[in-house]
Amino acid sequence: MLKASWVEPENNMGDVCPLFRKKFHINKSISSALLRVSARGVYEAVLNGRRVGCFVLAPGWTAYERRIQLQEYDITSLIEEDNTLTLLLAKGWYMGSIDTYTEDRLKGRSCAVIAELTLTYADGSVDIIGTDNTWQTSQSGLRFCDIYHGMIFDASFEADFCGNAVVSVNNGQDTLIPQQGPEIIENERLRPVEILHTPAGETVVDFGQNITGYPEISVTAELGDRIKLSFAEVLDSNGNFYNANYRTAKCLYEYICRDGQQIYRPSLTFYGFRYVRIDEFPVDIRPENIIAVVVHSELRQTGRITTSDPLLNKLFQNILWGQKGNYLDIPSDCPQRDERLGWTGDAQAFIRTACYNYDVRRFFTKWLSDMRVEQLKSGAIPDVIPAVFTGIHSPAWGDAVTICPWQLYMTYGDRSFLSFMFDSMKKWVDYITSVTKDKGLWTGGKTYGDWLELKAPKGHRKGYTRDELIATAFYAYSSELVCKAGRVLGIDISKYEELHSEIVARFKAVFEDDFRTQTEHILPLYFGLTDRPDRVAESLVAMIHADGDKLQTGFVGTPYLLHVLSNNGYSEIAYELLLRKDFPSWLYPVTKGATTMWEHWDGLKPNGEMWSAEMNSFNHYAYGAVGDWMYGVCAGINPVEQAPGFARVHFAPISTERIDFFRAELDTDHGKICSEWHHENGVTVYEITTPVPSTALIEGKNYELRAGVHRFENNKKVV
Ligand code: BGC
C-alpha cells in the first residue's frame, strides 16, 4: 500500500498532456532512493532532467479495471542535493482512441498518476514523498498524444507549473499490482538505408525494415520550424508512399522546433512503419537527421534458424520481426492501423513459433493473467485481451485459453501455467457446452470461420470452411487440453474425458467423409477426429493438387497445414508448399520484398494492386505460425509430453533434397539444442546436439541418445 494518492491536474487540459512536478531538497547522506510509479494512462518520469528507467509506455497495457502494474525504479544514482521530479502523462491505452468499437469503456474514466519516492538515509531515517495535492502541474509541450493518432510536440513550449494536482475521485489502490510482464524497451536503432524521391515528388526515408517504434529526429533548427512526418509500411506499385491501410489511425508526428541543435523522439506513442515521408523538415533531410527506434517488450531470443536457402532465411527473419513488432506488451494483431489489439485467435495460432523464437514466459504470464480476469461469468473469452470489447467468442479465438497455457507448459515445463489457468480452461469448455444448440457439437454460435481463407464468397472474409466444423473441432481440442492439463495436475477430469469422447464421436458421425475445404481436412487430422487419417490425408493432398498445388487456408487451417501433411507421410508436399514462391505461399511476400509477415497471402497482389485498404496489414504475425514446422519438422526439435520443457527432446528431422542445408538451435533451461542436416556426396548427414538424454527418429529409425553430439548418415549413427 502506497502512502501516495492518485492525482490529476485540477483543470482539464483537453488533448494536452499534463506534467506533474515535485521539487525536494536532500540535506543528509542518502543510502537509497526507490521510486514507485504507475498511471492510468502512460507516463514518463524524469529526475533532474534524466529519464527514470527505460520502460517505454509504462505501466503497459492490462485489464485496467482490475490490474494496473506498478513500476519500481532504483534512482539512487540520480539523486542530487536539489531535485526536481516530473511525471509526464498521456492517455495511452487507458483513455486513448485504442478502441474504435465503443466509447463506453471511457465513461467515468480520467487519466491519473501515482508515485511514491522512498528516500532512505545513511543514518537509517526514511522520507517518503508521494503524489498529493502539493504537486504542481502544468501543460507540457506534448500538445497531443494518442496510441493510434500519434503526437504533436512543441519543443518551444515552456511549462509554467502554475497549477496544482488534485487527488482523484477514484483513489483506490486495489488495482495496483507489481510489474508482471517484461518491460517495453527500445531494443534497436536503425539507420535509413535510402532516402527516396518518389514519382509523386515526395521525399521518403526507407529504413529497410518494417518495425514498431518511432523515429528519433536530430536537427539544428530555428524557433518555430516544423517537422511533420507520415508513416507507411509499403510503397505502391509505382513506388509511391502508401498508407491507406492505416485506416483511421492518423499516426501524427508533428514537432515544433526550438532554437538550436535538438534531438527528439516520442515515448508515449508508437507507429508501425518502414517508410517515413518527410512532409516538413527545416533542412534537406540527410540520413543523420533520422533514426528508427525499435520498441517492443524485452524478450530473450532463444531460437535461430539458418538454411542454405536465402528466401527461407528471409522468411524466418520476417517471422522474428513479426513477433517483435507485435509483442509490445500484449500479443497484438498488428502495430500500425486503428486496431493493435490482443486478438486471441492470432495469439494462439502463433504461440508455438513464439515459444521457440523467444522466451515468452513473463510476457504470457501477464497476458494470461489479464485473460483470466477478463473471462466473462459465462466462461466466454473475449475476442481481444485486454477486453476493450468482448466480441463474439469465436472458436479458435477463445480457445487461446487452453492452447496457450498448454504450449507454455510444453515449452517450459512449468506446471504453474496449467494450475493458474485450469479453472479458466474448464470454464471455457463449460461455456461451449452451455451455449451449443446440439450436444457434443458446437453449433449455433458466431465465428470468424477460417478467417481470410483464400476461397471465399465474394465480399466475405470467412472462407467456405463450415463454422460448425471449426467450432466442434476446437471444442474437441480444448476439452482434450483440459484433460491433459488435469492429468498433469492430478485433478479428476473424468467429466471432460467423457465429453471429449462424445465430441469426437459426434464430429465423426456428422462430418466424416465429407470434408469440403483444405481446412476441413486439416482440423480432424490434427485434432485426431477421424478414424481414417490415411484417407483424409490422401483427400487433402488431392485437394491441394486440384487447387493447383496451392494452399487455400486462413488463420485457422494454416498453422496445422504442413504438420498434417508431414505427419501423414506427405512431407515433400509440405516442403513444396513451404518453398513455393508464387502466390499464394509463404515465400511470395518475400519475393515482393516483405520484411515482416503479411495479414493476407496477397496483401500486395501479383498485378501490383493492394488488397483492399480497409484491412491490409503488412505486419500481422499469424501466418508466421509456419515457424514451428521449421523448428519441429525440418529441424525436428520437439518437446516431449512426459518430460516437458525440453527435459527430454524428441528429434525427428525430415530433410529434403530441395534444401542443401538446414540448421536450428534452441536455448532451453537444460542447455542449447542444435539440429542440422546437409547433403554430402549423395547422402544426408544429420547432426544433433542435445544437452539431455533424448530420442531421435531419423529416416525411419529410432535411436536413444545420450547428452552430447550425434551424427547420422546412411541410415546409421556414426558418432
Ligand atoms: C484482426 C485479426 C483478428 C480478426 C478477427 C481482424 O481485424 O486484425 O487479426 O483475428 O479481426 O477475425
Side-chain angles (χ1 to χ4, degrees), residues 333-334 337 339 343 346 397 448 451 555 599 615 620:
D333 55 338
C334 57
R337 69 178 179 221
E339 202 147 7
W343 279 100
D346 308 40
W397 270 249
Y448 293 119
W451 187 247
F555 278 33
E599 181 174 26
M615 203 184 73
H620 235 73

Side-chain angles (χ1 to χ4, degrees), residues 30-234:
I30 194 161
S31 65
S32 80
L34 186 73
L35 178 66
R36 287 183 283 178
V37 194
S38 191
R40 299 191 190 114
V42 287
Y43 72 86
E44 184 182 60
V46 171
L47 182 66
N48 303 327
R50 286 160 69 189
R51 194 185 203 292
V52 172
C54 44
F55 190 158
V56 178
L57 295 154
W61 191 8
T62 44
Y64 293 124
E65 299 299 338
R66 311 283 292 276
R67 296 160 25 89
I68 304 183
Q69 298 180 115
L70 177 73
Q71 289 72 52
E72 265 192 28
Y73 306 98
D74 182 346
I75 56 167
T76 317
S77 63
L78 298 181
I79 295 277
E80 296 168 8
E81 226 177 272
D82 286 301
N83 298 279
T84 306
L85 176 61
T86 54
L87 302 169
L88 174 64
L89 176 65
K91 292 178 181 171
W93 296 283
Y94 183 74
M95 283 206 74
S97 54
I98 190 65
D99 169 17
T100 52
Y101 298 83
T102 164
E103 289 297 311
D104 282 359
R105 89 193 153 84
L106 300 185
K107 279 195 196 130
R109 284 191 174 186
S110 58
C111 288
V113 281
I114 187 164
E116 187 168 290
L117 173 62
T118 307
L119 295 162
T120 308
Y121 299 99
D123 64 8
S125 58
V126 173
D127 267 343
I128 292 189
I129 299 173
T131 37
D132 59 20
N133 57 12
T134 67
W135 285 53
Q136 298 166 300
T137 59
S138 174
Q139 291 199 359
S140 71
L142 194 52
R143 311 308 291 168
F144 172 82
C145 191
D146 184 88
I147 299 283
Y148 290 163
H149 300 314
M151 61 92 214
I152 302 173
F153 184 76
D154 183 351
S156 67
F157 183 86
E158 304 261 351
D160 58 11
F161 289 102
C162 58
N164 273 322
V166 291
V167 173
S168 304
V169 177
N170 174 4
N171 191 26
Q173 290 188 18
D174 49 344
T175 49
L176 286 176
I177 55 160
Q179 177 65 30
Q180 188 181 30
E183 292 185 358
I184 307 164
I185 58 165
E186 296 179 349
N187 285 272
E188 284 166 70
R189 293 164 67 83
L190 306 181
R191 299 203 161 272
V193 293
E194 205 178 346
I195 296 183
L196 306 163
H197 300 285
T198 65
E202 296 173 329
T203 302
V204 173
V205 179
D206 177 7
F207 286 99
Q209 175 61 53
N210 196 12
I211 66 147
T212 303
Y214 34 72
E216 175 183 278
I217 45 104
S218 164
V219 70
T220 303
E222 286 177 15
L223 178 71
D225 280 349
R226 282 175 176 268
I227 292 175
K228 209 170 150 198
L229 310 177
S230 301
F231 298 86
E233 298 180 283
V234 289

Side-chain angles (χ1 to χ4, degrees), residues 245 247 333 337 339 451-454 456 460-462 551 553-555 558 583-586 588-590 592 594 596-606 609-623:
N245 61 328
R247 303 196 302 213
D333 55 338
R337 69 178 179 221
E339 202 147 7
W451 187 247
L452 306 186
E453 190 173 86
L454 271 171
H460 285 255
R461 295 173 186 162
K462 284 162 57 164
L551 58 78
T553 48
F555 278 33
T558 301
F583 161 79
S585 68
W586 282 277
Y588 167 72
V590 176
K592 290 281 173 191
T596 36
M597 303 307 296
W598 294 356
E599 181 174 26
H600 296 271
W601 295 112
D602 55 348
L604 194 59
K605 296 184 182 192
E609 280 171 22
M610 301 279 175
W611 212 88
S612 151
E614 164 235 353
M615 203 184 73
N616 196 14
S617 153
F618 292 92
N619 197 355
H620 235 73
Y621 58 58
Y623 292 152

Side-chain angles (χ1 to χ4, degrees), residues 286-561:
R286 295 160 61 100
E288 54 272 27
N289 294 128
I290 189 162
I291 278 182
V293 181
V294 178
V295 174
H296 55 83
S297 292
E298 187 171 17
L299 302 168
R300 179 173 56 91
Q301 190 173 349
T302 46
R304 281 163 203 87
I305 291 175
T306 38
T307 79
S308 53
D309 184 328
L311 294 182
L312 208 50
N313 293 343
K314 185 65 181 158
L315 171 66
F316 178 66
Q317 292 305 318
N318 293 356
I319 293 171
L320 292 179
W321 276 106
Q323 184 165 357
K324 290 194 274 188
N326 282 296
Y327 275 30
L328 195 151
D329 219 38
I330 57 146
S332 64
D333 55 338
C334 57
Q336 74 299 76
R337 69 178 179 221
D338 52 357
E339 202 147 7
R340 315 185 197 185
L341 302 170
W343 279 100
T344 48
D346 308 40
Q348 67 79 13
F350 186 66
I351 191 166
R352 278 218 306 203
T353 304
C355 290
Y356 278 115
N357 287 339
Y358 292 93
D359 184 341
V360 294
R361 280 176 266 206
R362 282 188 69 198
F363 183 82
F364 272 101
T365 300
K366 166 178 169 289
W367 190 66
L368 290 176
S369 302
D370 285 312
M371 183 182 284
R372 229 170 71 127
V373 302
E374 298 280 35
Q375 185 167 27
L376 306 183
K377 277 210 177 64
S378 62
I381 297 289
D383 297 353
V384 296
I385 303 291
V388 290
F389 56 90
T390 66
I392 60 170
H393 323 312
S394 173
W397 270 249
D399 298 282
V401 71
T402 55
I403 294 171
C404 295
W406 180 253
Q407 187 53 47
L408 291 158
Y409 167 71
M410 286 296 285
T411 302
Y412 303 112
D414 182 351
R415 289 160 48 117
S416 68
F417 285 111
L418 300 180
S419 50
F420 181 66
M421 292 302 290
F422 191 66
D423 280 344
S424 300
M425 294 165 75
K426 276 194 317 190
K427 270 166 70 184
W428 166 248
V429 170
D430 294 346
Y431 160 75
I432 303 169
T433 307
S434 74
V435 293
T436 182
K437 303 217 172 336
D438 205 338
K439 204 161 172 273
L441 300 171
W442 183 3
T443 63
K446 288 194 182 145
T447 89
Y448 293 119
D450 184 17
W451 187 247
L452 306 186
E453 190 173 86
L454 271 171
K455 280 191 221 155
K458 211 170 161 32
H460 285 255
R461 295 173 186 162
K462 284 162 57 164
Y464 289 105
T465 298
R466 284 164 289 172
D467 284 354
E468 291 171 356
L469 186 147
I470 296 176
T472 305
F474 276 85
Y475 184 24
Y477 190 42
S478 275
S479 59
E480 185 189 359
L481 293 179
V482 167
C483 295
K484 286 186 174 205
R487 273 178 221 122
V488 171
L489 298 172
I491 294 171
D492 175 24
I493 32 88
S494 41
K495 173 179 146 194
Y496 295 94
E497 284 173 335
E498 272 168 43
L499 174 67
H500 179 248
S501 311
E502 187 184 4
I503 303 169
V504 175
R506 293 283 336 258
F507 184 96
K508 289 177 184 168
V510 174
F511 298 110
E512 184 88 281
D513 275 336
D514 180 25
F515 300 129
R516 304 174 190 171
T517 65
Q518 292 186 10
T519 294
E520 291 200 1
H521 289 78
I522 293 166
L523 298 182
L525 282 171
Y526 194 79
F527 297 152
L529 305 175
T530 167
D531 289 328
R532 295 169 226 153
D534 288 359
R535 263 180 52 184
V536 179
E538 205 180 304
S539 154
L540 170 62
V541 169
M543 186 168 270
I544 292 172
H545 288 322
D547 286 327
D549 292 325
K550 297 175 197 154
L551 58 78
Q552 297 295 319
T553 48
F555 278 33
V556 169
T558 301
Y560 310 123
L561 167 63

Side-chain angles (χ1 to χ4, degrees), residues 15-32:
D15 277 342
V16 177
C17 296
L19 271 171
F20 299 81
R21 181 174 81 175
K22 185 76 183 174
K23 292 187 170 207
F24 56 97
H25 180 74
I26 305 271
N27 53 14
K28 288 196 268 185
S29 152
I30 194 161
S31 65
S32 80

